[in-house]
C-alpha cells in the first residue's frame, strides 16, 4: 500500500491549479443515466471515486469515451468524458460497488425515473458516521415511488405512467437526498418543488446541467428548487465547477506553513465561510482575476471557534483541515461538528504529531501548541487524511502517512501540486 512521506517546515509559495469538484463530478456523471443522448462533461478530475463510479455506470449500460490526455506532466488532469446511456442494461446497483462509495446510491433516482424500477444496495455506514438514506427514500416516495427494502437492497418501482412531480419537504438538509430527488424530478411528469433543499454549489452545478438537458430548474442556490420534468432529456456539454474543498484545503495548508499561494480557478463565493474563518486566523485572503490568493507571513495563527453547517455555513469537509491549522494557533479554539457524529477520526492521529485536542461529544477543544513533530500516522477518511498532510507540512521532521488510498479518492495530483510550491513531499509506492 502506498504511503506519503513529508518533511515539514517549508513554506508554500506559487500557484496551485484547482481541479474539477469531486462532489459535483459524481452526480453529473450519474446524470448521464437520464438520457439516451451523449452527455459531455469537461474538467472531470482524475480520482479513484470517479473511476469507481464509472465502473458502476458501465454496469448499467453507460458507454464512456475519454478525450486524449494532455501531454506532459500537467498538474491539472481535468479530462473530457463523453457518456452515452443509449440503453440501460442492468437495473441493479450491487452491494460490492455501492458499499465502496456512498454517492453511487444516487443512481436510484435516475434509474427509477427513466426505467420505472431499480434495485440499489443500501450503502451502509462509513468511517464518518451512520449516514442513513431515509430522506432519499421519503423524497422518491413523494414522487410516487413504491419502495421496499429486501436483503439489504432498496427495491423501487414507479407508478404506471412514471414518477410524477410533487412537493418534497425535507425535514433536514441533505446533499445526497437533494441530488437524488432532483435527478429523478428531471424525468418526472410535471413540476416538483423541493423545499429545504441543500444549497451547496455542487447542487447548483447539477441543476444547471439538468436545465441544459431540458428540465427547467429554478431557484438554483436557494433552498427551494422548482423542477419542470420532461418526458425525455437531451444530451449537452457541461464543465464541472472548481473544487471548493480542494481550494479550502490548500488555503489551510498555506495558513499553516506560511507562504503565498494563488489557487488558480477557485471561486471565493463557493467557500466564503471557510475563507472568512481563515482571515480570522490571520491569513490574508484576496479574490484575484485568476482565483484566490492566500498569504501568511510571520504572524501567528489566531484561535477561532466554529460550527460546521450546511452551505453557506462552514463545511464539514474542511473541519479536519481547519483543526490541523488550529493545532498551531496561539490559544484555544473550539470546533463543533454538527453534520456527522463521528467525523473526528483525525484527532487521535493529530495527537500523534503533538496536537493537544480534547473531545467531548460533538465538540473538539484545540489548545494550540508551538510545534508539531513528524510521526507515522494513519489515514482514515479522505478529509481526515489531508488534515495529516497539512499537519505534516507545518510540523518539524518526517511524517509518514499510511493508507493514502483515502487521499486518492478525492485529491488529484496532491503531492505534485504541493511539491511545485516548495513542499518536501513524496509518495512511497510499495511494489
Ligand atoms: C455529501 O454527503 C458529500 N458527499 C460529503 O462529502 C459531505 O460531507 C456531505 O454531503 C455534507 O456536506 C458527496 O457530495 C459525494 P448529507 P451526503 O446527506 O450527501 C443525514 C467528502 O469528504 N442524513 O448532506 O452523504 C446524514 O447522516 C464527502 O467529500 C439523514 O439523516 O451527506 C448527515 O448527518 C464525505 N438521512 C446529514 O444528513 C438521509 O437520508 C447530512 O448528510 C441522508 C442524510
Amino acid at each position: 500500500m502506498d504511503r506519503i512521506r513529508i518533511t515539514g517546515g517549508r513554506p508554500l509559495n506559487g500557484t496551485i491549479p484547482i481541479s474539477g469538484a469531486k462532489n459535483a463530478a459524481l452526480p453529473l456523471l450519474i446524470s448521464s443515466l437520464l438520457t439516451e443522448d451523449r452527455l459531455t462533461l469537461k474538467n472531470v478530475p482524475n480520482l479513484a471515486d470517479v473511476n469507481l463510479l464509472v465502473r458502476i455506470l458501465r454496469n448499467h449500460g453507460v458507454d464512456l469515451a475519454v478525450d486524449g490526455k494532455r501531454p506532459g506532466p500537467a498538474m491539472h488532469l481535468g479530462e473530457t468524458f463523453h457518456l452515452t446511456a443509449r440503453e440501460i442494461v442492468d437495473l441493479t446497483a450491487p452491494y460490492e460497488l455501492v458499499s465502496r462509495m456512498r454517492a453511487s446510491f444516487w443512481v436510484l433516482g435516475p434509474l427509477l425515473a427513466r426505467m420505472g424500477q431499480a434495485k440499489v444496495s443500501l450503502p451502509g455506514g462509513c468511517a464518518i458516521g451512520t449516514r442513513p438514506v431515509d430522506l432519499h427514500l421519503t423524497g422518491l416516495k413523494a414522487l410516487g415511488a413504491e419502495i421496499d427494502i429486501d436483503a439489504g437492497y432498496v427495491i423501487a418501482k414507479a407508478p404506471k405512467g412514471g414518477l410524477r412531480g410533487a412537493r418534497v419537504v425535507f425535514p433536514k438538509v441533505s446533499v445526497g437526498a437533494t441530488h437524488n430527488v432532483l435527478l429523478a424530478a428531471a424525468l418526472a411528469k410535471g413540476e416538483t418543488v423541493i423545499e429545504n433543499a441543500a444549497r451547496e454549489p455542487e447542487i447548483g452545478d447539477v441543476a444547471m446541467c439538468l436545465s441544459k438537458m431540458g428540465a427547467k430548474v429554478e431557484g438554483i442556490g436557494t433552498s427551494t428548487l422548482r423542477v419542470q420534468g420532461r418526458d425525455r432529456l437531451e444530451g449537452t456539454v457541461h464543465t464541472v465547477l472548481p473544487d471548493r474543498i480542494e481550494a479550502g484545503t490548500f488555503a489551510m495548508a498555506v495558513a499553516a506553513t506560511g507562504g503565498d499561494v494563488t489557487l488558480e480557478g477557485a471561486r471565493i463565493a463557493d467557500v466564503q465561510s471557510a475563507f472568512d474563518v481563515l482571515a480570522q486566523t490571520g491569513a490574508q485572503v484576496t479574490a484575484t482575476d485568476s482565483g484566490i490568493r492566500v498569504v501568511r507571513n510571520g504572524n501567528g495563527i489566531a484561535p477561532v471557534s466554529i460550527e460546521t453547517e450546511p452551505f453557506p455555513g462552514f463545511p464539514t469537509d474542511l473541519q479536519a483541515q481547519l483543526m490541523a491549522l488550529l493545532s498551531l494557533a496561539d490559544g484555544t479554539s473550539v470546533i463543533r461538528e454538527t453534520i456527522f457524529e463521528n467525523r473526528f477520526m483525525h484527532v487521535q492521529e493529530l495527537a500523534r504529531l503533538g496536537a493537544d485536542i480534547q473531545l467531548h461529544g460533538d465538540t473538539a477543544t484545540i489548545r494550540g501548541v508551538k510545534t508539531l513533530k513528524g510521526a507515522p500516522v494513519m489515514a482514515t477518511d479522505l478529509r481526515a487524511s489531508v488534515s495529516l498532510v497539512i499537519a505534516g507540512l507545518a510540523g518539524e521532521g518526517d511524517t509518514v502517512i499510511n493508507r493514502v488510498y483515502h487521499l486518492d479518492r478525492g485529491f488529484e495530483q496532491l503531492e505534485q501540486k504541493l511539491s511545485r510550491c516548495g513542499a518536501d513531499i513524496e509518495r512511497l509506492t510499495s511494489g
Side-chain angles (χ1 to χ4, degrees), residues 352-371:
R352 291 179 54 74
L353 300 174
D356 179 356
I357 304 168
Q358 301 297 320
L359 264 186
H360 292 285
D362 62 3
T363 302
T365 304
I366 306 121
R367 290 189 184 79
V369 294
K370 287 267 170 288
T371 46

Side-chain angles (χ1 to χ4, degrees), residues 116-138:
Q117 50 182 313
K119 182 176 171 188
V120 178
S121 169
L122 285 165
C126 71
I128 63 175
T130 46
R131 301 178 83 186
V133 291
D134 53 318
L135 301 171
H136 300 236
L137 303 185
T138 313

Side-chain angles (χ1 to χ4, degrees), residues 8-37:
R10 293 181 171 208
L12 294 170
N13 286 293
T15 298
I16 298 182
I18 297 304
S19 296
K22 168 181 82 86
N23 289 350
L26 298 177
L28 286 167
L29 289 163
I30 291 175
S31 309
S32 66
L33 291 170
L34 291 167
T35 176
E36 295 161 21
D37 296 349

